Coordinates of all heavy atoms in Angstrom, one line a residue:
Y196 N 6.5 13.9 21.4 CA 5.3 13.0 21.4 C 4.0 13.8 21.2 O 4.0 15.0 21.7 CB 5.2 12.2 22.7 CG 6.4 11.3 23.0 CD1 7.5 11.8 23.7 CD2 6.3 10.0 22.5 CE1 8.6 10.9 23.9 CE2 7.4 9.1 22.8 CZ 8.5 9.6 23.5 OH 9.6 8.8 23.8
I197 N 3.0 13.2 20.5 CA 1.7 13.8 20.4 C 0.7 12.8 21.0 O 1.0 11.7 21.2 CB 1.3 14.2 19.0 CG1 1.3 13.0 18.1 CG2 2.2 15.3 18.4 CD1 0.7 13.2 16.7
A198 N -0.5 13.3 21.2 CA -1.6 12.4 21.7 C -1.9 11.4 20.6 O -1.9 11.8 19.4 CB -2.8 13.1 22.1
Q199 N -2.2 10.1 20.9 CA -2.6 9.2 19.9 C -3.9 9.6 19.2 O -4.7 10.2 19.8 CB -2.8 7.8 20.5 CG -1.5 7.1 21.0 CD -1.7 5.7 21.5 OE1 -2.6 5.0 21.0 NE2 -0.9 5.2 22.4
Q200 N -4.0 9.2 17.9 CA -5.2 9.6 17.1 C -6.4 8.8 17.6 O -6.3 7.6 17.8 CB -4.9 9.2 15.6 CG -3.8 10.0 15.0 CD -4.1 11.5 15.0 OE1 -5.1 12.0 14.6 NE2 -3.1 12.3 15.4
P201 N -7.5 9.4 17.8 CA -8.7 8.7 18.3 C -9.5 8.0 17.2 O -10.2 7.1 17.5 CB -9.6 9.9 18.9 CG -9.2 11.1 18.1 CD -7.7 10.9 17.7
D202 N -9.3 8.4 15.9 CA -10.1 7.9 14.8 C -9.2 7.4 13.7 O -8.9 8.0 12.7 CB -11.1 8.9 14.2 CG -12.1 9.4 15.2 OD1 -12.7 8.5 15.9 OD2 -12.3 10.6 15.4
G203 N -8.7 6.1 13.9 CA -7.9 5.6 12.9 C -6.4 6.0 13.0 O -6.1 6.9 13.6
M204 N -5.6 5.2 12.3 CA -4.2 5.4 12.4 C -3.7 6.4 11.4 O -4.3 6.7 10.4 CB -3.5 4.0 12.0 CG -2.0 4.0 12.3 SD -1.6 4.4 14.0 CE 0.1 5.0 13.8
T205 N -2.6 7.1 11.7 CA -1.9 8.0 10.8 C -1.3 7.3 9.7 O -1.0 6.1 9.7 CB -0.9 8.9 11.6 OG1 0.1 7.9 12.1 CG2 -1.5 9.7 12.6
Y206 N -1.0 8.0 8.6 CA -0.3 7.5 7.5 C 1.1 8.0 7.5 O 2.1 7.3 7.2 CB -1.0 7.9 6.2 CG -0.1 7.6 4.9 CD1 0.1 6.3 4.5 CD2 0.4 8.7 4.2 CE1 0.9 6.1 3.4 CE2 1.2 8.4 3.1 CZ 1.4 7.1 2.7 OH 2.2 6.9 1.6
K207 N 1.3 9.2 8.0 CA 2.6 9.8 8.0 C 2.7 10.9 9.0 O 1.7 11.7 9.2 CB 3.0 10.3 6.6 CG 4.4 10.8 6.5 CD 4.8 11.1 5.0 CE 3.9 12.2 4.4 NZ 4.3 12.5 3.0
T208 N 3.8 11.1 9.7 CA 4.0 12.2 10.6 C 5.4 12.9 10.1 O 6.3 12.2 9.8 CB 4.1 11.8 12.1 OG1 5.2 10.9 12.3 CG2 2.8 11.2 12.5
T209 N 5.4 14.2 10.1 CA 6.6 14.9 9.8 C 6.8 16.0 10.8 O 5.9 16.7 11.2 CB 6.4 15.6 8.4 OG1 6.1 14.5 7.4 CG2 7.7 16.3 8.0
V210 N 8.0 16.2 11.2 CA 8.4 17.2 12.2 C 9.5 18.1 11.6 O 10.5 17.5 11.0 CB 8.9 16.6 13.5 CG1 9.4 17.7 14.4 CG2 7.7 15.9 14.2
A211 N 9.4 19.4 11.7 CA 10.4 20.3 11.2 C 10.8 21.3 12.4 O 9.9 21.6 13.2 CB 9.9 21.1 10.0
V212 N 12.1 21.6 12.5 CA 12.5 22.5 13.5 C 13.2 23.7 12.8 O 14.1 23.5 12.0 CB 13.5 21.9 14.5 CG1 14.1 22.9 15.4 CG2 12.9 20.7 15.2
N213 N 12.6 24.9 13.0 CA 13.1 26.1 12.3 C 13.1 25.9 10.8 O 14.0 26.4 10.1 CB 14.5 26.5 12.8 CG 14.4 26.8 14.3 OD1 13.5 27.4 14.8 ND2 15.5 26.5 15.0
G214 N 12.1 25.3 10.3 CA 11.9 25.1 8.8 C 12.6 23.9 8.2 O 12.4 23.6 7.0
A215 N 13.5 23.2 8.9 CA 14.2 22.1 8.4 C 13.6 20.8 8.9 O 13.4 20.6 10.1 CB 15.7 22.1 8.8
V216 N 13.2 19.9 8.0 CA 12.6 18.6 8.4 C 13.6 17.8 9.1 O 14.7 17.5 8.6 CB 12.0 17.9 7.1 CG1 11.5 16.5 7.5 CG2 10.9 18.7 6.5
T217 N 13.2 17.3 10.3 CA 14.1 16.5 11.1 C 13.7 15.0 11.1 O 14.6 14.1 11.3 CB 14.2 17.0 12.5 OG1 12.9 16.9 13.1 CG2 14.7 18.4 12.6
E218 N 12.5 14.7 10.8 CA 12.0 13.3 10.8 C 10.7 13.2 10.1 O 9.8 14.0 10.2 CB 11.8 12.8 12.3 CG 11.3 11.4 12.4 CD 12.3 10.3 11.8 OE1 12.3 10.3 10.6 OE2 12.9 9.6 12.6
T219 N 10.6 12.1 9.3 CA 9.3 11.7 8.7 C 9.2 10.2 8.9 O 10.0 9.5 8.5 CB 9.3 12.0 7.2 OG1 9.4 13.4 7.0 CG2 8.0 11.5 6.5
I220 N 8.1 9.9 9.6 CA 7.8 8.5 9.8 C 6.6 8.0 9.0 O 5.5 8.6 9.1 CB 7.5 8.2 11.3 CG1 8.7 8.7 12.2 CG2 7.2 6.7 11.6 CD1 8.5 8.5 13.7
S221 N 6.8 7.0 8.2 CA 5.7 6.5 7.3 C 5.1 5.3 7.9 O 5.8 4.4 8.4 CB 6.3 6.2 5.9 OG 5.3 5.6 5.1
Y222 N 3.8 5.2 7.8 CA 3.0 4.1 8.4 C 2.4 3.2 7.3 O 1.3 2.7 7.5 CB 2.0 4.6 9.4 CG 2.6 5.2 10.6 CD1 3.0 6.5 10.7 CD2 2.8 4.4 11.8 CE1 3.5 7.1 11.8 CE2 3.3 5.0 12.9 CZ 3.7 6.3 12.9 OH 4.3 6.8 14.1
N223 N 3.0 3.2 6.1 CA 2.4 2.4 5.1 C 3.0 1.0 5.0 O 2.5 0.1 4.2 CB 2.5 3.1 3.7 CG 4.0 3.3 3.3 OD1 4.9 3.3 4.2 ND2 4.2 3.6 2.1
M224 N 4.1 0.7 5.7 CA 4.7 -0.6 5.6 C 5.3 -1.0 7.0 O 5.9 -0.1 7.7 CB 5.9 -0.6 4.6 CG 5.5 -0.4 3.2 SD 6.9 -0.6 2.1 CE 6.1 -0.2 0.5
L225 N 5.2 -2.2 7.4 CA 5.9 -2.8 8.5 C 7.0 -3.7 8.1 O 6.8 -4.6 7.3 CB 4.9 -3.5 9.4 CG 4.0 -2.7 10.3 CD1 2.8 -3.6 10.8 CD2 4.8 -2.2 11.5
K226 N 8.2 -3.4 8.6 CA 9.4 -4.1 8.3 C 9.8 -5.0 9.5 O 9.5 -4.6 10.7 CB 10.5 -3.2 7.9 CG 10.3 -2.4 6.7 CD 11.5 -1.5 6.4 CE 11.2 -0.7 5.1 NZ 12.4 0.2 4.8
Q227 N 10.4 -6.1 9.2 CA 10.9 -7.0 10.3 C 12.3 -6.7 10.6 O 13.2 -6.7 9.7 CB 10.7 -8.5 9.9 CG 11.0 -9.4 11.0 CD 10.7 -10.9 10.6 OE1 9.8 -11.1 9.8 NE2 11.3 -11.8 11.3
D228 N 12.6 -6.4 11.8 CA 14.0 -6.0 12.2 C 14.2 -6.8 13.5 O 13.6 -6.5 14.6 CB 14.1 -4.5 12.5 CG 15.5 -4.1 12.8 OD1 16.4 -5.0 12.9 OD2 15.8 -2.9 13.0
K229 N 15.1 -7.8 13.5 CA 15.4 -8.6 14.6 C 14.2 -9.2 15.2 O 13.9 -9.1 16.4 CB 16.2 -7.8 15.7 CG 17.5 -7.3 15.2 CD 18.3 -6.5 16.2 CE 19.6 -6.0 15.7 NZ 20.3 -5.1 16.7
N230 N 13.3 -9.8 14.4 CA 12.1 -10.5 14.7 C 11.1 -9.5 15.4 O 10.1 -10.0 16.1 CB 12.4 -11.6 15.7 CG 13.2 -12.7 15.1 OD1 13.0 -13.0 13.9 ND2 14.1 -13.3 15.8
R231 N 11.2 -8.2 15.1 CA 10.2 -7.3 15.6 C 9.7 -6.5 14.4 O 10.4 -6.1 13.5 CB 10.8 -6.3 16.6 CG 11.3 -7.0 17.9 CD 11.9 -6.0 18.9 NE 13.1 -5.4 18.3 CZ 13.9 -4.5 18.9 NH1 13.6 -4.2 20.1 NH2 15.0 -4.0 18.3
L232 N 8.4 -6.2 14.4 CA 7.8 -5.4 13.4 C 8.0 -3.9 13.7 O 7.8 -3.4 14.8 CB 6.3 -5.6 13.3 CG 5.8 -7.0 12.8 CD1 4.3 -7.1 12.9 CD2 6.3 -7.2 11.3
C233 N 8.5 -3.2 12.7 CA 8.9 -1.8 12.8 C 8.4 -0.9 11.7 O 8.2 -1.3 10.6 CB 10.4 -1.7 12.9 SG 11.3 -2.6 14.1
F234 N 8.1 0.3 12.1 CA 7.8 1.4 11.1 C 9.1 2.1 10.9 O 10.0 2.2 11.8 CB 6.7 2.3 11.5 CG 5.3 1.8 11.3 CD1 4.5 1.6 12.4 CD2 4.9 1.4 10.0 CE1 3.2 1.1 12.2 CE2 3.6 0.9 9.9 CZ 2.8 0.7 11.0
S235 N 9.3 2.8 9.7 CA 10.6 3.4 9.4 C 10.5 4.9 9.3 O 9.5 5.5 8.7 CB 11.1 2.8 8.0 OG 11.3 1.5 8.1
G236 N 11.6 5.5 9.8 CA 11.8 6.9 9.6 C 13.3 7.0 9.3 O 13.8 6.3 8.4
K237 N 14.0 7.8 10.1 CA 15.5 7.8 10.0 C 16.1 6.5 10.4 O 17.2 6.1 10.1 CB 16.1 9.0 10.8 CG 15.9 10.3 10.1 CD 16.6 11.4 10.9 CE 16.5 12.8 10.2 NZ 17.1 13.8 10.9
R238 N 15.3 5.8 11.3 CA 15.7 4.4 11.7 C 14.4 3.6 11.9 O 13.3 4.2 11.7 CB 16.5 4.5 13.0 CG 15.7 5.0 14.2 CD 16.6 4.9 15.5 NE 15.9 5.2 16.7 CZ 15.8 6.4 17.2 NH1 16.4 7.4 16.6 NH2 15.1 6.6 18.3
N239 N 14.5 2.4 12.1 CA 13.3 1.5 12.4 C 12.9 1.7 13.8 O 13.7 1.7 14.8 CB 13.7 0.1 12.1 CG 13.9 -0.2 10.7 OD1 13.4 0.5 9.8 ND2 14.7 -1.3 10.4
Y240 N 11.5 1.9 14.0 CA 10.9 2.1 15.3 C 10.1 0.9 15.7 O 9.1 0.6 15.0 CB 10.1 3.4 15.3 CG 10.9 4.6 15.1 CD1 11.0 5.3 13.8 CD2 11.7 5.2 16.1 CE1 11.7 6.4 13.6 CE2 12.5 6.3 15.9 CZ 12.5 7.0 14.7 OH 13.2 8.1 14.5
T241 N 10.3 0.4 16.8 CA 9.5 -0.7 17.4 C 8.2 -0.1 18.0 O 8.1 1.1 18.1 CB 10.2 -1.5 18.5 OG1 10.5 -0.6 19.6 CG2 11.6 -2.0 17.9
Y242 N 7.3 -1.0 18.3 CA 6.0 -0.6 18.9 C 6.2 0.2 20.2 O 5.6 1.3 20.3 CB 5.2 -1.9 19.2 CG 3.9 -1.5 19.9 CD1 2.8 -1.2 19.2 CD2 3.8 -1.6 21.3 CE1 1.6 -0.9 19.8 CE2 2.6 -1.3 21.9 CZ 1.5 -0.9 21.2 OH 0.3 -0.6 21.8
N243 N 7.1 -0.2 21.1 CA 7.3 0.5 22.3 C 7.9 1.8 22.1 O 7.7 2.7 23.0 CB 8.1 -0.4 23.3 CG 7.3 -1.6 23.8 OD1 6.1 -1.6 23.9 ND2 8.1 -2.6 24.2
Q244 N 8.6 2.0 21.0 CA 9.2 3.3 20.8 C 8.2 4.3 20.2 O 8.2 5.5 20.6 CB 10.4 3.2 19.8 CG 11.6 2.5 20.4 CD 12.7 2.2 19.4 OE1 12.4 1.8 18.2 NE2 13.9 2.3 19.7
I245 N 7.3 3.8 19.4 CA 6.2 4.7 18.8 C 5.2 4.9 19.9 O 4.7 6.0 20.0 CB 5.6 4.1 17.5 CG1 6.7 4.0 16.4 CG2 4.4 4.9 17.1 CD1 7.1 5.3 15.9
F246 N 4.8 3.9 20.6 CA 3.7 4.0 21.6 C 4.2 3.6 23.0 O 4.1 2.5 23.4 CB 2.5 3.1 21.2 CG 1.9 3.4 19.9 CD1 2.0 2.5 18.9 CD2 1.2 4.6 19.7 CE1 1.4 2.7 17.6 CE2 0.7 4.9 18.5 CZ 0.7 4.0 17.4

Side-chain angles (χ1 to χ4, degrees):
Y196 299 89
I197 60 173
Q199 290 188 29
Q200 298 296 310
D202 297 312
M204 189 56 203
T205 55
Y206 169 67
K207 183 171 63 176
T208 59
T209 302
V210 174
V212 177
N213 298 326
V216 174
T217 62
E218 178 64 286
T219 296
I220 302 176
S221 174
Y222 291 86
N223 61 341
M224 295 182 184
L225 277 167
K226 298 181 179 180
Q227 187 171 337
D228 185 357
K229 298 179 181 178
N230 295 321
R231 296 178 299 181
L232 291 175
C233 301
F234 282 117
S235 296
K237 287 186 175 179
R238 64 176 188 268
N239 291 334
Y240 294 103
T241 65
Y242 175 84
N243 289 334
Q244 289 172 324
I245 295 292
F246 300 115

